[in-house]
Amino acid sequence: MSIEPPAPSVGPGPVLLVEDDADLRAAVADILEDEGFEVHVAENGLEALAELDALGHLGRWPCVVLLDLMMPVMDGFTFMERFRADPGLSHVPVVVLSASVKEPPEGARAMLRKPFEIPALLDTVAGYCAQGRRPELL
Amino acid sequence: MPLPLADFLLQHRDAIMEAWEAEVRAIPAAQALSRPALHDGLPRLLEGVASRIRQRPQAGVASGPGAIPDLHALERLGEGFNLHQVVTEYRLLRGCVLRLWAARGGATPYPEEERVFHEAMDEAVAASVSRYTLARERTLQALDRISTAALGSDDVAGFLPRLLQVLRETVAAVDMAGVLLKDGDSLRVASVVGEGLKAGARVPEGEGFVGTIAATRQPLLVHEAGSDARVGEPVLREAGLRALYGVPLVLDSEVLGVALMGSRASSELSEADLLLFRAMAARATALLAQAQAHARERAARAEAEASLARLRESEAGLRRWEEVFTRLGVGVVVVSAEDNTLRDVNPAFARMHGYTPEELRGRPLEDTFAPEARGVLHRHVSAAHSKSSHEYESLHIRKDGSRFPAFSHVTSFRDASGRVVQRVATVLDITQRRAVETDRQRLLAAIEAERARLASVLDQMPAGVFIAEAPSGRLLMASRNVEAITGRPFAPSTLVEDFARAPYTVLHPDGRRYEPGELPLFRSLRQGEEVRSEELLIEREDGQRVTVLVSSAPIRDREGTIVAAVATMVDITERRRAQEAALQAARFGERLIAIVSHDLRNPLNAIQLSATQLLHSEALPERERRLVTRLARASDRMKRMISELLDFTRGRLGGGIPIQRVPGDLRAVVRQGVEELEAAWPERSLTLQVAPGRYEGEWDADRLLQVVSNLGGNALQYSPPDAPVTFHLSDVGEAVVLEVHNAGEPIAEDMLPRLFDPFRRGTTAGPGGGGLGLGLYIVEQVVKGHGGRIEVSSTAEAGTTFQVKLPRA
């Protein structure tokens, strides 16, 4: 995990989608991409951290991280612990996607309860990543 | 050859004395004397006279009669002869000699001899008379002094010293005089003058000088007291005396004591002195006897007076006892040991038996005993005779024939030989006591029966019951089940805390050991705590664990003091095991549902998102659009089911559906719900009536929306298509009431109690499709989560109404 100061943003950052369910991951990514967002995906917390690291090096911090909680390898809770431990990431908003918990883990900005519907998803992401939305769909 | 007178006297001395004795016995004083005492020195006098006659040729130097007449005179004075009698003795002697001399026949060869004989006899008479007179005079004087000394003193201790003083002054040779009086088996020096003896000293009777005199009753004279073997007493031997003379003091053949006189200077005491001493001793004896008689008389008088006083006292005592006897409430009876008759009875005894005392006196003791009790009477009589007292209970009879039980205490009185002469008994009517005793026995029996009944009831109970008493903390009883549960035989009197100790262990459900003070029975006994169904584990010796529910309570007396505590013990091992298994199964099921419903959401969400996205595509042909629409609706239903399943498991696993109340207006919520329903059921008629009032409160709007949706959905689903569904909202003050009503078939009565159970569903499925049957369950959970209440009424006439009452906060 990087301890460097965040690199200056070089354009709007992508949506980082962390979800172990491949179908849901693909469906969400399709919908977001249809709406003009750039989407990076990760299958679990560990991959997400690596992706964050990589994006950070490029100076392209995600405009939002959509984080599933129940995942193999590294679940969303562990990811959040690591994420919060890195002050360099504090500016990156995290929205939790979950069916089971009542409250999002500490550090998350919002939560989308599964199963969510397209308008809710788009409204949430747009809230953080307005600049990435395709103008023709607005 | 003619016989000279001198020879005649010598040869016929005994015959002369014999003839003399025959005549002289006529003298009264001579009659009691023994022959030697009577003859005294007279035979030697005859020999002396004969010797004088022979000496006649040498006339002119004729010797006198010597000391014999002197001594004889003193003897006779001592023996009570008067002077005339003494002279008569000589006259008779002279006469006897002459008569026998003449009777021999033949001429007197030497007439001169007869003259000398008469001369000698005359001299002897003269000497005796002279001696007698002198001695008598001295003796009389001494006796007179003694009498004077004795005058005015009737006590022995007072007059003896004076007597002895007189003696010492009268007899010049005497240095020491003393009197010993008999005192038990020995002789005690009662008084003494001069040196040599100590007053109070004792000598034994029967031995030594004094003892011999007392035993033989004869005077004794020794000449050297310090060396004479007859003087055995050390006190006398060491007294420095030479001549020592002792005389017994005899009165009426009883020896009173011994009088002693002794001389330091001389080994001889004159006959006159001895005589005088004897006379004084005789006189002293009389005086002593008199003094002793006086003393005895005084003692007797004193004794008589004392007896009289005692008698008076005992008479007073007797009167007191008489009174006690008469007034005593206890029956007293005096029974003759000889014939077992009633010698005397007191009024109480008579009253007890319904008689007067007079009626009973003289009757047989047996008459006071009930005939059926008389058989054992003789045993009690002999028991009373064999010891000092005897107690027994028996059945007595009254004059009217009625019986009563009595307790008797008998004391036997014996005469000097130990024979029982009478018995005295105190008798108590113990009817009352018997009745009490009988009552007590009956009560005890009743209690025992009660206890046995209780024990058998307790034994039949499925629970083990045990009781401990306060304050000892000991177990009184335990039912058979306690033994069965604990696997340990019950021992009464075990302390409560010990009962829960080795060989088994009592544990809390979490495995902690019970401290003795924590045991329910102990807590009830000591702190009065009532314990209800406390679960505990008993680990037996073999390691087997039994789960039991123990309840206990104190038992208090009227004052509220804890007197005991009772505990019940139910073995719930099996039940607990089954519960545990059921719980495990339920948990597993719920967990399964949670996992499944959660995991289902991801693919469902993918389907839903994709279908929706597909429907947005304008290029979709109509047929495919219908297919995708069906896909979307099915996934929507599925989403709802999964949502319900999640709510259900959340409710079950997490202790109820989470409710987050925020301030808001309930009307908006209900309105939204109704609008959504109208959208979903466009062909149905829905009405919302809101009564005037206040609808602000703290609500979980999402959850209450679910309530409106579920209740409304149900009402629509379970009513005919043309039946309206009405929502009615009203303000009841602290709460707000929502009623959802529909007409139509009522809910079956047997369904009503289980209506809110999970996985229940109605008999018909409406257009919304069959759910999981969790709708009403969730409604109830949400309402309860708001602290509210839901009720349902359903009749064919009125239709079905669900009423939800929600407190504002």
Side-chain angles (χ1 to χ4, degrees):
Chain A
M1 179 69 63
S2 168
I3 51 161
E4 291 165 31
S9 183
V10 287
V15 173
L16 175 56
L17 172 63
V18 191
E19 168 63 61
D20 66 320
D21 189 296
D23 286 340
L24 184 59
R25 192 169 66 230
V28 171
D30 281 352
I31 289 164
L32 289 176
E33 279 168 358
D34 282 355
E35 293 296 317
F37 296 102
E38 179 187 356
V39 180
H40 286 224
V41 295
E43 284 185 29
N44 57 55
L46 202 60
E47 279 187 14
L49 287 172
E51 187 62 27
L52 266 178
D53 197 30
L55 286 170
H57 277 288
L58 294 172
R60 299 196 65 235
W61 294 108
C63 58
V64 70
V65 177
L66 299 177
L67 178 70
D68 184 25
L69 288 179
M70 305 301 181
M71 294 178 294
V73 185
M74 182 190 284
D75 63 18
F77 298 99
T78 315
F79 169 86
M80 281 310 295
E81 280 174 27
R82 297 278 186 89
F83 179 86
R84 280 190 292 115
D86 187 344
L89 297 177
S90 59
H91 66 290
V92 178
V94 176
V95 172
V96 164
L97 311 174
S98 174
S100 54
V101 297
K102 299 172 211 166
E103 297 283 331
E106 200 183 339
R109 301 275 176 92
M111 185 164 82
L112 269 179
R113 194 173 289 279
K114 288 178 179 177
F116 46 86
E117 292 177 16
I118 294 172
L121 172 69
L122 292 179
D123 286 352
T124 303
V125 172
Y128 298 100
C129 310
Q131 72 276 31
R133 211 165 178 182
R134 279 202 313 230
E136 64 268 30
L137 287 179
L138 287 174
Chain B
M1 174 153 171
L3 183 66
L5 178 58
D7 291 353
F8 176 82
L9 286 175
L10 291 173
Q11 283 169 14
H12 296 277
R13 190 194 64 181
D14 292 346
I16 295 166
M17 289 310 296
E18 209 170 311
W20 173 79
E21 189 181 334
E23 291 177 27
V24 87
R25 285 285 185 199
I27 298 171
Q31 281 162 7
L33 291 176
S34 64
R35 176 177 276 191
L38 184 64
H39 288 196
D40 192 38
L42 294 184
R44 279 189 293 118
L45 181 75
L46 286 179
E47 287 166 16
V49 171
S51 158
R52 172 132 174 211
I53 294 172
R54 278 196 185 140
Q55 285 169 1
R56 190 199 41 82
Q58 295 92 36
V61 283
S63 60
I68 292 169
D70 270 18
L71 292 176
H72 184 69
L74 290 176
E75 284 297 334
R76 288 304 186 235
L77 181 62
E79 287 156 2
F81 283 61
N82 60 26
L83 192 57
H84 176 73
Q85 289 165 332
V86 172
V87 174
T88 304
E89 272 193 305
Y90 283 103
R91 183 174 55 78
L92 290 175
L93 183 62
R94 194 197 305 253
C96 282
V97 169
L98 293 176
R99 198 169 63 248
L100 289 171
W101 171 249
R104 81 186 191 288
T108 304
Y110 311 107
E112 179 60 17
E113 280 184 328
E114 283 184 24
R115 191 191 51 81
V116 175
F117 168 73
H118 283 293
E119 204 175 85
M121 285 304 286
D122 288 345
E123 277 176 25
V125 170
S128 267
V129 166
S130 158
R131 190 68 195 158
Y132 181 96
T133 312
L134 270 175
R136 192 178 59 178
E137 196 170 329
R138 188 174 164 222
T139 305
L140 284 173
Q141 278 173 4
L143 293 180
D144 184 48
R145 287 187 66 192
I146 288 169
S147 298
T148 309
L151 268 180
S153 114
D154 50 7
D155 68 306
V156 177
F159 108 88
L160 271 182
R162 286 199 292 275
L163 169 73
L164 293 172
Q165 194 57 42
V166 169
L167 175 72
R168 199 174 162 206
E169 284 162 13
T170 312
V171 183
V174 170
D175 294 307
M176 183 281 292
V179 172
L180 296 93
L181 292 179
K182 256 189 93 166
D183 185 8
D185 288 340
S186 59
L187 291 136
R188 184 177 53 84
V189 179
S191 188
V192 67
V193 294
E195 285 175 18
L197 267 183
K198 286 230 155 27
R202 286 175 179 277
V203 294
E205 194 183 355
E207 54 186 85
F209 184 74
V210 176
T212 305
I213 293 166
T216 59
R217 304 181 181 201
Q218 290 296 322
L220 189 58
L221 173 68
V222 294
H223 299 288
E224 295 295 341
S227 57
D228 197 298
R230 288 171 296 180
V231 181
E233 299 88 335
V235 282
L236 293 176
R237 290 177 74 90
E238 290 155 19
L241 298 170
R242 296 188 68 192
L244 178 62
Y245 184 57
V247 181
L249 307 177
V250 180
L251 184 80
D252 296 338
S253 78
E254 189 196 343
V255 178
L256 298 181
V258 172
L260 292 178
M261 70 171 174
S263 171
R264 289 176 197 287
S266 168
S267 64
E268 289 291 347
L269 289 168
S270 70
E271 278 296 329
D273 288 347
L274 298 181
L275 173 70
L276 179 64
F277 186 64
R278 285 202 301 275
M280 289 171 73
R283 185 60 190 259
T285 302
L287 289 170
L288 264 176
Q290 190 184 334
Q292 284 182 345
H294 270 295
R296 275 198 296 274
E297 190 192 331
R298 272 200 310 277
R301 194 182 305 128
E303 172 62 23
E305 277 166 8
S307 303
L308 194 65
R310 278 199 299 275
L311 188 66
R312 285 200 194 101
E313 228 169 74
S314 76
E315 273 173 357
L318 269 178
R319 275 197 300 280
R320 272 200 302 279
W321 280 113
E322 182 83 34
E323 196 156 331
V324 169
F325 180 76
T326 309
R327 298 215 179 156
L328 205 60
V330 175
V332 181
V333 58
V334 181
V335 180
S336 157
E338 209 172 297
D339 54 5
N340 287 323
T341 52
L342 305 174
R343 274 190 186 155
D344 200 359
V345 302
N346 73 343
F349 183 86
R351 214 163 36 238
M352 210 179 274
H353 291 82
Y355 291 94
T356 63
E358 293 71 29
E359 284 177 304
L360 276 179
R361 280 184 200 120
R363 291 179 73 145
L365 170 66
E366 214 180 54
D367 286 4
T368 59
F369 281 75
E372 61 268 31
R374 286 173 193 165
V376 291
L377 187 55
H378 74 276
R379 275 204 286 123
H380 292 306
V381 168
S382 47
H385 282 207
S386 68
K387 49 192 184 178
S388 60
S389 69
H390 175 61
E391 289 178 352
Y392 65 97
E393 287 179 13
S394 55
L395 196 62
H396 283 231
I397 189 165
R398 295 194 188 90
K399 193 178 182 179
D400 62 9
S402 62
R403 269 88 163 145
F404 67 96
F407 170 82
S408 304
H409 176 105
V410 189
T411 306
S412 301
F413 288 83
R414 294 160 200 280
D415 63 11
S417 68
R419 201 172 53 91
V420 175
V421 288
Q422 65 180 19
R423 300 187 306 274
V424 175
T426 51
V427 182
L428 272 176
D429 181 343
I430 54 168
T431 308
Q432 206 72 20
R433 209 181 78 189
R434 274 283 170 84
V436 169
E437 179 70 13
T438 311
D439 265 4
R440 206 173 70 91
Q441 291 295 341
R442 214 184 47 237
L443 270 176
L444 280 177
I447 289 169
E448 188 44 48
E450 205 58 51
R451 238 172 72 96
R453 201 151 47 225
L454 176 65
S456 65
V457 167
L458 291 182
D459 280 348
Q460 296 308 314
M461 277 176 67
V465 180
F466 47 118
I467 299 172
E469 66 169 356
S472 71
R474 295 192 178 279
L475 289 172
L476 285 181
M477 62 169 301
S479 70
R480 216 176 301 156
N481 260 318
V482 172
E483 298 183 352
I485 292 169
T486 59
R488 165 183 178 172
F490 171 74
S493 290
T494 313
L495 283 174
V496 171
E497 35 290 36
D498 290 341
F499 190 66
R501 272 197 200 129
Y504 53 68
T505 322
V506 180
L507 304 167
H508 288 277
D510 62 9
R512 273 183 307 117
R513 264 168 186 274
Y514 260 87
E515 297 301 322
E518 288 183 296
L519 293 165
L521 186 58
F522 189 91
R523 275 147 57 202
S524 295
L525 201 60
R526 297 291 181 230
Q527 285 115 46
E529 189 181 336
E530 283 190 22
V531 181
R532 289 189 192 284
S533 299
E534 184 165 302
E535 184 174 327
L536 49 85
L537 298 172
I538 293 175
E539 192 174 84
R540 293 188 191 161
E541 228 175 342
D542 56 6
Q544 192 192 347
R545 282 190 178 184
V546 184
T547 308
V548 293
L549 284 185
V550 177
S551 299
S552 66
I555 299 171
R556 296 173 190 271
D557 63 13
R558 236 174 283 169
E559 281 77 41
T561 310
I562 297 172
V563 291
V566 60
T568 59
M569 185 191 260
V570 185
D571 184 352
I572 55 156
T573 311
E574 280 313 310
R575 197 203 298 173
R576 186 43 42 94
R577 222 172 262 158
Q579 275 177 356
E580 203 63 42
L583 197 65
Q584 292 269 334
R587 286 212 175 112
F588 177 76
E590 283 159 1
R591 182 98 196 102
L592 186 72
I593 290 168
I595 289 167
V596 168
S597 55
H598 173 262
D599 291 350
L600 280 176
R601 288 196 168 203
N602 285 331
L604 174 66
N605 213 174
I607 293 166
Q608 214 178 14
L609 289 173
S610 303
T612 312
Q613 187 69 350
L614 199 56
L615 283 174
H616 286 159
S617 165
E618 283 148 19
L620 200 66
E622 191 50 36
R623 188 174 166 273
E624 280 76 12
R625 181 171 294 277
R626 279 206 310 277
L627 290 174
V628 175
T629 302
R630 197 179 304 140
L631 194 66
R633 196 186 297 154
S635 68
D636 205 40
R637 235 165 17 93
M638 194 165 166
K639 176 186 130 187
R640 210 166 57 238
M641 285 187 205
I642 288 171
S643 180
E644 284 182 354
L645 267 179
L646 262 181
D647 282 345
F648 166 71
T649 48
R650 224 180 259 146
R652 278 297 172 95
L653 293 176
I657 292 172
I659 302 294
Q660 282 162 341
R661 308 180 77 150
V662 289
D665 191 324
L666 193 63
R667 284 174 297 195
V669 178
V670 176
R671 210 165 274 138
Q672 187 189 341
V674 174
E675 280 166 9
E676 282 179 11
L677 283 166
E678 276 176 330
W681 301 70
E683 69 283 6
R684 297 292 299 267
S685 158
L686 280 85
T687 315
L688 169 59
Q689 301 164 345
V690 178
R694 211 167 56 83
Y695 294 94
E696 282 81 19
E698 291 186 359
W699 328 103
D700 187 328
D702 287 346
R703 289 300 181 188
L704 290 178
L705 195 57
Q706 220 175 341
V707 168
V708 176
S709 172
N710 286 358
L711 289 177
N714 272 354
L716 290 161
Q717 200 177 323
Y718 295 110
S719 58
D722 57 342
V725 169
T726 312
F727 294 82
H728 185 87
L729 205 53
S730 55
D731 170 8
V732 293
E734 287 303 294
V736 175
V737 172
L738 168 68
E739 285 172 328
V740 182
H741 171 262
N742 67 271
E745 288 260 323
I747 303 167
E749 209 168 310
D750 61 333
M751 275 290 290
L752 284 175
R754 290 171 288 148
L755 211 54
F756 298 97
D757 288 357
F759 304 111
R760 293 274 158 208
R761 41 183 97 184
T763 44
T764 56
L772 288 171
L774 288 170
L776 284 178
Y777 170 78
I778 290 166
V779 166
E780 193 190 31
Q781 292 300 307
V782 171
V783 171
K784 279 185 178 169
H786 279 82
R789 217 170 60 221
I790 181 164
E791 280 167 9
V792 60
S793 62
S794 184
T795 60
E797 303 80 46
T800 300
T801 304
F802 283 86
Q803 189 194 61
V804 174
K805 191 173 184 179
L806 293 168
R808 293 178 195 275

